[in-house]
């Protein structure tokens, strides 16, 4: 903005003329939330979010749900393409229809030319939706342009001139903003009347929200077939019980052209509110999300900061990450932090923002500096590009599942899933997905991070699947085992085209029906879990086919049990095992995610019936798998397929769990004994309070792995951890049987080759405040520095150390095919372990050393 | 039992001699044989309160010539009194005056627990106290059909004898938490922060984290143990409910208690806890804590329980859920009068910790961390020192606790009858039965 101060002054003037209103502070509470966002090159219909939102209900409590859409279909709103493009879409929620005439007179018709009025259609009877306590508001969309006379009045009322604004659009935006504020004060805040309020004001975008679950927004407003390029769906979990007003639900549309949702809450709501108050902004809806939306609008539209700086003002870069920034950036960031620290929301949050930016439809995900909320980003790039961010992987997969069932251009697995590293120098903790018009009249998705670096990897490989050939051409020996035949398949695989590859799957499928399901499944699991060169095939789509093949075999276990696999006839059916090694296949789909009827409890019931081997298929967020079995479960093995929910394998005392894919948050909490193998990445707080056992992660761990662990847990992470690895680690001396973490800092290239990450550990907090145990980092070139430690020190790796970690790395090789020899190879040369691994041990805490030395002597 | 695992030091004779002297000494003080020691107590736990607690523990009756009702802090409970009825309207003292409270008011399928008194034992972990102390409290809880909490130091094997009366605590450090102890528990208590040290988490210095303690916590001997302030997996109410679901997956029958400190928005925390699935909301106010809580922390951060209880009680009513949840208060509750006042302010019942220790001989000397020797309490209470812990003999301690609770129950009934109430449940939220006393009128 050319003259931001003049603009803020005009707001102060406006406020001084508005009626005074009582704040209803009662609504200020906010809990956690569940959220999914997507940006797609083609319009996506609302129904595809339906299952995703329904599966995420447990992250909300039915007291607030909403959706935002950017990049609409003009026909669905009854306007011409030009009107959709050029007018503002002003969406007003009427809780009391009788005020509509007055609102229109006062705030719409007097200030704007209305090109079209569109009443959002609704279900006839809201009571059919059993989760609703109150009728959702009627929503009217006005397609409007400011009247010249209204512009003149706006300027003179606010002591502004046109030259204060960089463009006409900027001027109109502010007019719109102030119009909305006045309307909301008059019809919402004043005397707490809550008769009407503005849902959103922007171009080519709309917000709809209710007191209920988000999927009921889709139902009630008949959005099943309504399309948009960018969607956000949000479940709210307000901490107060009787929140009966949709004004408090997300998304918040205070910013012009912006819809913002938020997962978490701030501890400095009051400070942010005051910061805004000093800048002439008065929140009306009393949730921290509203102030976040106002803050975002202030920084991006009023101050005109580029997105990078807006993000910095929300999630400041700190500690080591700050030091790692180039000098020029440090200077700017420091200035931003100094100026806006009081407007920077502190506390656990994850923002997802949908933004209409001219012809660009934008989705932005920003994670807080400490990464305290669950978040995952992903994309798929087939003929159509689509990108996601959400609270958990399963909500993304649910959208893809729905899309792919209707539209063969999509498949069920993203090309990549990842977590952002909040407030970091690497990705800035945020990703921006832009859908731009392309020359061919379609749209193109680009993905960048906070720093504007394009992160599009445009993965290679043919995603256009073709039917299976009669023969794959692979030369099967008459007898084989999975582990022996797998290397042979991998070596011929790069030459396979789709017909051959799918032919191979049919051959494995017929092996299953004619010989051994066990062998077939074992081999398919290797094809699913291991990293190898998929040649001309798009890896994610191939893996989708492999998983499908596994499911094809296992789905029959219930109707035609074999020596190896049996199944349930229906939920609640508890057959008995025919032999001790027979596994029961449990289809997760009919089971609730948690609670007394949950999948987790069913597994316990089956365990009590005598089962020791379990194969769980089709998970979509099911939590607590492997929990509740009690002590001494070393004869138990659980294999899990699909998108597992939180707390996998928590509390296990001896069981073996294989997660065939990524795991989520709180995996292996208080893990006591046994083996947990994750053929993918793990989420937040992995191994929190773990006491023992052997844990293996093929890829990365998100924030806070192994925090507060004690005793003897042993963990191998082959990728890296985002931050706070092994904070307050309190295990014993590894050389005396105590616990430790091995970080290999590796990644897999698309051809399956292993390579080193730029740094084995990017975070600023490694082994902080620990009092026992050790970390072994594969860091042959000494990339890590002691500034990343907080209470730890680097020491030489001894032979005794190697004797402790080597057996674990051998087991690691068995699980993931990551050769021990490769780990010891640096730049093509085999090196001794001490030249490859570095050991970190806790520094004796000075404050405690007197006590400790006393204790040591006695 | 614990003793068989311990080395044969100190000798039986020594134990006998020392405990005998200690017990005699205590009795001599309360009987008025000697004058009150000059340095005993402080304004909240006055010398007379300590001595009257010892008297009750020794005899099961109220003392005649000691103030057993209030301290001298000039605030909170010490400035509240009851609006007693005129004597002719008093009910007769009788066993029929009900002191039992239901703990599960959600009406779900889980256990219906009703302790005989509106009191259960607060968490004092193994490590901060000895097995003897824990066992004494557990056996006593069994005798009274009530409960005691493990604290966060794990679940010593011996306690399984009393499993139906032992609350398993799940605290931020997750020390010693395993499925077995969750499955054994009638109530699982989540400790989100404690009133005596809100925001500070727990700590156990290396010197007190010896072999046995470490084993229990699954840790390694002589490594200092810290509990973080928050649950690392719980940053919102939604996480909180997930956390509760986790425990309910392991033990679908247990009641859930959520123990929180009393920040200014404690009312919202309480409602959030209810919606997350809690049966019991346990408010831990600012004045509790053993001598291990830093002094500055003990006094200055959380809201006093006298303010927090009515605030939460009223808010739960406003939200229409007061009937569905049990509200428990702790932190600085010392006497039967305090208990009745807390209930009149809006609690259903209370949790006692410090008073249990006082009944077992604690002098409130604040030496729990054990000073330079690091050995812990000289009276054998808050210590795991193999010698010192022998000064608390189970049989003796259980008897003292039983006596103490007999006197508490007697006095509680006494207050109820003088208010014309025949059931402690009728007292809940009756602030109209309280008066604020002026400081110049003691
Ligand atoms: S050291 Fe013992 S006597 Fe002193 S306050 Fe602590 S528990 Fe009580």
């Amino acid at each position: 903005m050319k003259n931001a101060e003049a603009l803020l002054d005009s707001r102060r003037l406006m406020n001084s003329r508005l009626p005074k209103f009582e704040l209803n502070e009662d609504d200020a509470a906010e809990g956690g939330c569940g959220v999914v966002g997507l940006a797609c090159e083609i319009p996506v219909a609302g129904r595809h979010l339906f299952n995703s939102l329904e599966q995420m209900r447990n992250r909300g409590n039915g007291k607030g749900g909403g959706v935002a859409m950017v990049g609409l279909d003009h026909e669905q709103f009854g306007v011409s393409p030009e009107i959709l493009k050029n007018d503002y879409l002003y969406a007003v929620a009427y809780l009391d229809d009788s005020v509509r005439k007055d609102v229109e007179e006062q705030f719409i018709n007097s200030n704007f030319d209305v090109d079209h009025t569109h009443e959002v259609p609704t279900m006839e009877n809201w009571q059919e939706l059993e989760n609703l306590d109150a009728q959702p508001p009627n929503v009217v969309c006005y397609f409007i342009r400011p009247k010249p006379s209204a512009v003149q009045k706006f300027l003179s009322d606010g002591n502004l001139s046109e030259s204060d604004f960089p463009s006409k659009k900027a001027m109109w935006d502010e007019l719109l903003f102030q119009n909305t504020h006045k309307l909301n004060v008059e019809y919402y805040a004043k005397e707490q009347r809550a008769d009407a309020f503005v849902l959103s004001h922007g171009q080519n975008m709309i917000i709809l929200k209710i007191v209920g679950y988000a999927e009921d927004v889709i139902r009630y407003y008949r959005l099943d077939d309504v399309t948009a390029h960018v969607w956000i769906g949000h479940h709210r979990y307000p901490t107060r019980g009787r929140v009966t007003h949709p004004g408090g639900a997300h998304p918040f549309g205070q910013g012009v052209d912006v819809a913002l949702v938020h997962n978490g809450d701030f501890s400095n709501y009051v400070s942010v509110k005051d910061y805004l108050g000093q800048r002439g902004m008065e929140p009306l809806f009393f949730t921290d999300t509203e102030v976040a939306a106002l803050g975002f609008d202030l920084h991006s539209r009023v101050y005109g900061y580029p997105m990078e700086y807006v993000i910095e003002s929300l999630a400041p870069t700190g500690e080591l990450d700050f030091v790692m920034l180039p000098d020029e950036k440090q200077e700017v960031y420091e200035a931003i932090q100094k100026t806006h620290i009081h407007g920077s929301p502190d506390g656990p949050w994850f923002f997802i923002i949908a933004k209409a930016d001219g012809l660009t439809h934008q989705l932005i995900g920003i994670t807080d500096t400490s990464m305290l909320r669950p978040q995952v980003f992903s994309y798929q790039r087939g003929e159509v590009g689509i990108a996601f961010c959400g609270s958990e992987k399963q909500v993304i997969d649910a959208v893809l599942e729905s899309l792919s069932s209707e539209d063969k251009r999509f498949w069920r697995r993203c090309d990549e899933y990842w977590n952002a590293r909040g407030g970091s120098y690497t990705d800035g903790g945020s990703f921006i997905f832009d859908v731009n018009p392309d020359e061919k009249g379609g749209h193109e998705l680009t993905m960048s991070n906070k720093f504007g670096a394009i992160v599009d990897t445009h993965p290679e490989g043919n995603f256009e699947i073709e039917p299976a050939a009669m023969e794959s051409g692979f030369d099967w020996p008459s007898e084989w085992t999975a582990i022996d035949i797998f290397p042979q398949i991998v070596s011929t695989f790069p030459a396979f085209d789709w017909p051959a590859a799918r032919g191979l799957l049919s051959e494995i499928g017929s092996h299953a029906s004619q010989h051994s399901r066990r062998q077939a499944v074992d081999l398919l699991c290797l094809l699913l879990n291991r990293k190898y060169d998929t040649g001309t095939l798009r890896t994610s789509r191939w893996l989708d086919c492999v998983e499908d093949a596994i499911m094809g075999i296992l789905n029959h276990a219930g109707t035609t049990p074999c020596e190896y696999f049996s199944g349930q006839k229906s939920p609640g059916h508890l057959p008995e095992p025919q032999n001790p090694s027979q596994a029961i296949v449990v289809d997760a789909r009919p089971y609730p995610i948690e609670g007394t009827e949950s999948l987790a409890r069913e597994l316990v019931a089956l365990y009590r019936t005598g089962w020791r081997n379990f194969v769980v298929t089709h998970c979509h967020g099911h939590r607590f798998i492997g929990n509740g079995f009690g002590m001494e479960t070393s004869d138990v093995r659980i294999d899990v397929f699909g998108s597992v929910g939180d707390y996998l394998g928590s509390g296990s005392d001896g069981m073996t769990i294989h997660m065939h894919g990524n795991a989520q948050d709180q995996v292996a909490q208080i893990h006591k004994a046994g083996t947990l193998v994750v053929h993918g990445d793990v989420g937040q707080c992995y191994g929190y309070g773990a006491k023992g056992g052997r844990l293996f992660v093929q890829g990365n761990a998100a924030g806070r792995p192994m925090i507060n662990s004690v005793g003897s847990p042993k963990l191998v992470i082959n990728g890296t951890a985002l931050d706070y690895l092994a904070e307050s680690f309190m295990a014993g001396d590894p050389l005396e049987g105590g616990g430790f973490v091995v970080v290999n800092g590796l990644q897999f290239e698309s051809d399956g080759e292993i390579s080193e990450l730029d740094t084995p550990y990017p975070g600023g907090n490694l082994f902080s405040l620990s009092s026992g145990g050790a970390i072994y980092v594969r860091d042959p070139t000494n990339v890590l520095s002691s500034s990343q430690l907080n209470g730890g020190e680097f020491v030489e790796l001894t032979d005794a150390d190697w004797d402790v970690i080597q057996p674990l790395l051998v087991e690691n090789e068995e699980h993931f095919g990551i050769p021990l020899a490769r780990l010891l190879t640096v730049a093509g040369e085999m090196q001794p372990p001490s030249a490859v691994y570095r050991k970190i041990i806790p520094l004796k805490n000075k404050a405690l050393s007197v006590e400790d030395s006393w204790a040591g002597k006695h | 039992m614990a003793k068989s695992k311990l080395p044969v030091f100190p000798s039986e004779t020594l134990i006998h001699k020392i405990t005998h002297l200690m017990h005699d000494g205590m009795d001599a003080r309360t009987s008025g044989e000697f004058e009150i020691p000059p340095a005993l107590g402080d304004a909240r736990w006055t010398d007379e309160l300590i001595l009257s607690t010892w008297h009750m523990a020794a005899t099961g009756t109220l003392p005649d010539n000691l103030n057993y009702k209030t301290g001298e802090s000039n605030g909170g409970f010490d400035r509240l009194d009851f609006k007693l009825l005129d004597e002719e309207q008093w009910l007769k003292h009788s066993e029929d005056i009900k002191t039992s409270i239901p703990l599960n008011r959600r009406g779900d399928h889980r256990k219906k627990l009703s302790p005989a008194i509106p009191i259960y034992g607060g968490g004092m972990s193994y490590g901060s106290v000895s097995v003897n102390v824990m066992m004494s409290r557990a056996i006593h809880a069994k005798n009274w059909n009530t409960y005691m909490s493990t604290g966060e130091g794990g679940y010593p094997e011996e306690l399984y004898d009393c499993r139906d009366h032992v609350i398993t605590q799940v605290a931020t450090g997750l020390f010693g938490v395993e499925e077995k102890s969750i499955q054994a528990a009638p109530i699982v208590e989540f400790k989100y922060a404690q009133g005596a040290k809100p925001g500070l988490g727990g700590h156990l210095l290396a010197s007190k984290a010896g072999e046995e303690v470490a084993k229990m916590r699954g840790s390694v001997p002589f490594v200092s143990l810290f509990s973080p302030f928050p649950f690392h997996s719980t940053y919102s109410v939604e996480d909180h409910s997930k956390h509760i679901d986790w425990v309910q997956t392991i033990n679908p029958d247990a009641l859930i208690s959520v123990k929180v400190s009393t920040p200014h928005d404690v009312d919202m925390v309480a409602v959030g806890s209810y919606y997350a699935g809690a049966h019991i909301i346990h408010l831990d106010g600012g004045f509790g804590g053993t001598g291990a809580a830093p002094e500055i922390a003990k006094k200055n951060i959380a809201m006093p329980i006298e303010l927090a209880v009515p605030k939460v009680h009223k808010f739960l009513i406003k939200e229409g859920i007061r009937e569905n949840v049990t509200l428990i208060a702790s932190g600085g509750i010392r006497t039967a009068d305090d208990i009745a006042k807390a209930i009149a302010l809006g609690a259903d019942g209370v949790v006692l910790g410090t008073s249990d220790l006082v009944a077992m001989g604690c002098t409130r000397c604040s030496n729990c961390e054990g000073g330079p020797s690091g050995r812990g309490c000289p009276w054998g209470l808050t210590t795991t020192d193999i010698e010192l812990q022998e000064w608390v003999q189970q049989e003796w301690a259980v008897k003292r606790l039983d006596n103490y609770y007999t006197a508490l129950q007697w006095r509680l009934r006494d207050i109820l009858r003088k208010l014309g109430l025949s059931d402690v449940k009728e007292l809940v939220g009756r602030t109209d039965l309280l008066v604020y006393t002026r400081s110049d009128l003691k």
Side-chain angles (χ1 to χ4, degrees), chain A residues 26 33 59 239-241 373 601 624 627-630 646 666 672 685 688 691 708 711 732 771 851-852 854, chain B residues 172 174 178-179 183 205-207 218 220 223-224 228 232-233 236-239 242 246 249 252 268 318-319 373:
Chain A
D26 265 13
C33 309
R59 291 186 182 269
T239 40
R240 298 210 168 181
R373 296 302 310 156
R601 289 304 302 172
F624 314 117
N627 301 190
F629 281 56
D646 300 335
Q666 285 99 32
K672 193 168 183 220
C685 285
Y688 175 20
K691 286 138 184 72
N708 250 79
S771 58
E851 301 275 354
D852 277 342
W854 182 89
Chain B
T172 53
L174 297 177
E178 54 182 36
E179 289 205 342
Q183 285 175 336
L205 296 180
S207 56
V220 174
V223 170
S224 287
H232 285 292
S233 48
S236 70
V237 177
E238 163 225 335
D239 288 347
K242 190 167 69 177
W246 167 55
T249 301
M268 272 158 41
K318 188 167 156 225
E319 291 283 311
S373 82

Side-chain angles (χ1 to χ4, degrees), chain A residues 262 265-279 288-289 291-296 298-299 303 305 308-318 333-351 366-370 422-423 450:
Chain A
H262 149 240
D265 58 321
F266 320 159
S267 45
N268 63 340
Y269 166 75
V270 175
S271 147
V272 180
K273 193 169 135 257
D274 290 348
Y275 167 88
L276 293 171
Q278 289 157 6
R279 288 159 182 79
D288 34 17
T289 316
V291 301
L294 287 170
F296 183 87
L298 175 73
H299 293 175
Y303 292 147
Y305 290 170
E308 176 190 348
Y309 297 167
V310 176
I311 295 169
E312 178 63 24
S313 70
L314 292 169
T317 314
Y333 282 18
E334 198 183 332
I336 294 173
Q337 292 182 6
K338 274 190 185 146
T339 321
H340 298 302
I341 193 69
H342 298 294
S344 160
D346 185 10
W349 50 258
F350 177 40
F351 291 127
I366 311 172
T367 186
D368 71 293
T369 303
S370 310
K450 171 183 173 186

